[in-house]
Amino acid sequence: MINVALPKGRLGEKVYDMFESAGFPCPQVRDPGRKLIFENEEAGVRFFWVKPSDVAIYVERGAADIGVAGKDILLEYSPDVYELLDLNMGKCRMCVAAPNSFADDSGKTLRVATKFVNIARNYYDSISRDIDIIELHGSIEIAPILGLSDVIVDIVETGTTLKENDLKVFETIVPISARLIANKANFKFKTMEIQGIVNGLKSEVEKKQVEEK
């Protein structure tokens, strides 16, 4: 039985659709009740719902053999897992955004508001920019408006929220999408079973890419 950690929410539902189409169904997953663990012995899979930011922890610690996590989580927390496949969904980008009037003064320390502290630090280290990180966990867009920070580093999907607050993207740090990850030790013991799932999902990804062209 392969234990699969799915992220709760709309992305997780889309990911499950992909598993189902790939030949690993478990109809109970669609049950709107409070149950969190579902299994299909015939298909050899056991699914469970967890908070998106917790998926990597369940996988790294071995409670899940595989799971689906955003690339942002993998970059921010660097869990010791295998990244097996880009599922080509949940697409967005990690960006530096600021008020439209922003102009970077390289002679001053740049104040950066973000909840992605490690991603921000690694990015600015790579361009040798001196920064002061202000860690926030909600309504990050108001930080530069109220003068708390000069810029923000955050996930941008459509950019609508930025525009509504008179902010714009100045730099794209990295594209983000959902990734299939695996526990390293469990992968060694269940290589064939996990690889079978990877192959099935890979076919679904390729099918979707063809449909989008």
Side-chain angles (χ1 to χ4, degrees), residues 153-212:
V153 169
D154 202 9
I155 288 175
V156 175
E157 194 169 349
T158 63
T160 302
T161 304
L162 294 179
K163 287 177 185 175
E164 288 176 349
N165 289 284
D166 296 318
L167 305 176
K168 71 175 183 179
V169 171
F170 277 81
E171 297 287 343
T172 294
I173 297 175
V174 66
I176 302 294
S177 59
R179 308 299 169 99
L180 181 70
I181 59 176
N183 176 273
K184 289 186 173 181
N186 295 2
F187 184 80
K188 290 176 184 175
F189 291 109
K190 301 180 179 180
T191 305
M192 283 183 60
E193 294 88 344
I194 293 175
Q195 195 59 53
I197 292 175
V198 173
N199 293 341
L201 294 176
K202 190 174 182 181
S203 295
E204 291 303 309
V205 171
E206 291 170 351
K207 195 186 303 179
K208 186 181 173 187
Q209 287 175 328
V210 170
E211 290 171 356
E212 290 174 348

Side-chain angles (χ1 to χ4, degrees), residues 145-158:
I145 297 171
L146 297 178
L148 179 65
S149 72
D150 301 307
V151 302
I152 63 173
V153 169
D154 202 9
I155 288 175
V156 175
E157 194 169 349
T158 63

Side-chain angles (χ1 to χ4, degrees), residues 3 5-6 20 30 37-38 51 59 68-69 79 113-114 119 121-122 135 141-142 199 202-203 207-208:
N3 292 303
L6 293 177
E20 189 174 65
R30 300 192 187 280
I37 301 175
F38 315 86
K51 189 177 177 182
V59 175
V68 175
T114 185
I119 291 175
R121 184 177 290 118
N122 291 338
E135 187 172 0
E141 291 84 5
I142 68 171
N199 293 341
K202 190 174 182 181
S203 295
K207 195 186 303 179
K208 186 181 173 187

Side-chain angles (χ1 to χ4, degrees), residues 1-7 15-16 19-20 23-30 35-50 55 58-59 62-68 180-181 186 190 193-194 197:
M1 192 76 76
I2 299 297
N3 292 303
V4 185
L6 293 177
V15 169
Y16 171 71
F19 271 88
E20 189 174 65
F24 303 95
C26 187
Q28 297 172 335
V29 169
R30 300 192 187 280
K35 194 175 176 184
L36 295 174
I37 301 175
F38 315 86
E39 61 181 60
N40 181 342
E41 288 188 26
E42 193 176 327
V45 288
R46 180 186 293 115
F47 295 99
F48 52 92
W49 295 113
V50 298
V55 170
Y58 278 86
V59 175
D65 299 308
I66 59 175
V68 175
L180 181 70
I181 59 176
N186 295 2
K190 301 180 179 180
E193 294 88 344
I194 293 175
I197 292 175

